[in-house]
Amino acid sequence: MSIAVVTIFISHISEERELADILKQHLIADFGKKVRVFVSSDLESINAGDEWLKSIKTALNRAKVELILCSRLSITRPWVNFEVGAAWLRKIPIVPVCHSGLQVGDLPVPYNAWNGVEAGEERDLEKLYKSIAKSAGVKSPAVDFRAFAAAVQGFESTYAVEVRMRGKGGALVDLNQADRLVGTWKGQGCDIEIPKTLKYKTKFSYELTLNLQRRQGLISGKFEVHTFERDRTDTAFIELINVSGEYFYFKYWVAIPQANHCGFMLMQLSIAGDELEGIFLTNKLFERQIGLGKLLFRRQS
């Protein structure tokens, strides 16, 4: 009796096509004729002359399991979310395949509703194979996953350079989104005190200027802070280190007498793109303690 071929749909963004190809090659080599792997960027999956959107729709309708390549970059892209939504409506198994620093515990809603794996870990690849085998109604093949994990890790190390991964956990800067921040911003800020937890000798308020440019694959610039209570202005270097949807994460630093002042900002861009609002965490200027505050910037014409 012949065994029905199970279609596996791999959802990914164009920047991560190489990883999708790695997965496809290993799945076909290990599962053989029991599976058909559909990769939307693969010419073997979509024949010449086929309507691209029609081919994807057909593959989604046939798929018995969907693998989502999840990085801090991909989970912000609307097309990946669309493909995930289609699989969810069909109630087929969905497996987030995390890579390039994004861990399963970092997955946002709705991705964290499914049992994800980390592509560079041998044990997680074994877990992925067992999930696919269950969906296909076959026995999971006995595989040494070291070569598979090594191939994924090789991709991750190259991808890290190309997309400017930053910080512990592999934060990604998506320049297509970050370009929305380029320009001059004016704003205000103030320290935030927390009862019984965080209190200052002096609660400061600030006048702020932020100038951001795109340079050599970075969004960076100058961050000028005028402290009213001290009537003092300091200028820091600032760099964008993470993008997640409408949220932007910066680090900044400035050399001041007898200290190196540094800090981080988490900002949300308004729908209209004309306001940045968020918080900062820093070693408090003029005082040897941690500082927390709120900020609001408006774009200058």
Side-chain angles (χ1 to χ4, degrees), residues 17-154:
R17 171 181 174 176
E18 183 182 343
L19 180 57
D21 289 338
I22 291 171
L23 284 172
K24 177 180 179 178
Q25 291 166 15
H26 281 270
L27 288 170
I28 291 176
D30 296 332
F31 281 92
K33 296 181 180 180
K34 300 170 186 175
V35 302
R36 176 177 183 264
V37 182
F38 183 92
V39 177
S40 59
S41 60
D42 187 357
L43 293 179
E44 293 180 4
S45 297
I46 302 178
N47 297 321
D50 283 358
E51 295 181 37
W52 177 71
L53 190 58
K54 182 179 179 181
S55 296
I56 289 178
K57 181 180 178 181
T58 300
L60 281 169
N61 285 334
R62 291 176 177 172
K64 296 298 182 181
V65 60
E66 179 172 0
L67 310 183
I68 322 159
L69 300 192
C70 294
S71 67
R72 297 187 188 277
L73 181 58
S74 68
I75 60 176
T76 67
R77 295 289 181 84
W79 188 253
V80 169
N81 292 325
F82 169 80
E83 292 176 341
V84 171
W88 179 74
L89 288 173
R90 290 194 57 234
K91 298 181 180 180
I92 64 173
I94 298 172
V95 183
V97 181
C98 302
H99 66 92
S100 303
L102 182 69
Q103 300 176 345
V104 172
D106 298 327
L107 286 169
V109 175
Y111 297 93
N112 60 4
W114 304 297
N115 292 322
V117 299
E118 294 176 21
E121 298 292 331
E122 294 176 37
R123 290 183 179 180
D124 278 24
L125 290 173
E126 183 178 3
K127 178 181 173 183
L128 173 64
Y129 269 40
K130 288 180 178 178
S131 178
I132 292 172
K134 182 178 179 181
S135 299
V138 299
K139 184 178 180 180
S140 182
V143 177
D144 184 345
F145 291 101
R146 285 177 293 182
F148 195 168
V152 173
Q153 292 165 12

Side-chain angles (χ1 to χ4, degrees), residues 8 40 46 62 75 108 202 204 207 210 213 254 272 278 285 289:
I8 301 171
S40 59
I46 302 178
R62 291 176 177 172
I75 60 176
T202 304
F204 293 139
E207 184 178 53
L210 181 62
Q213 298 178 7
V254 59
L285 198 62
Q289 69 176 95

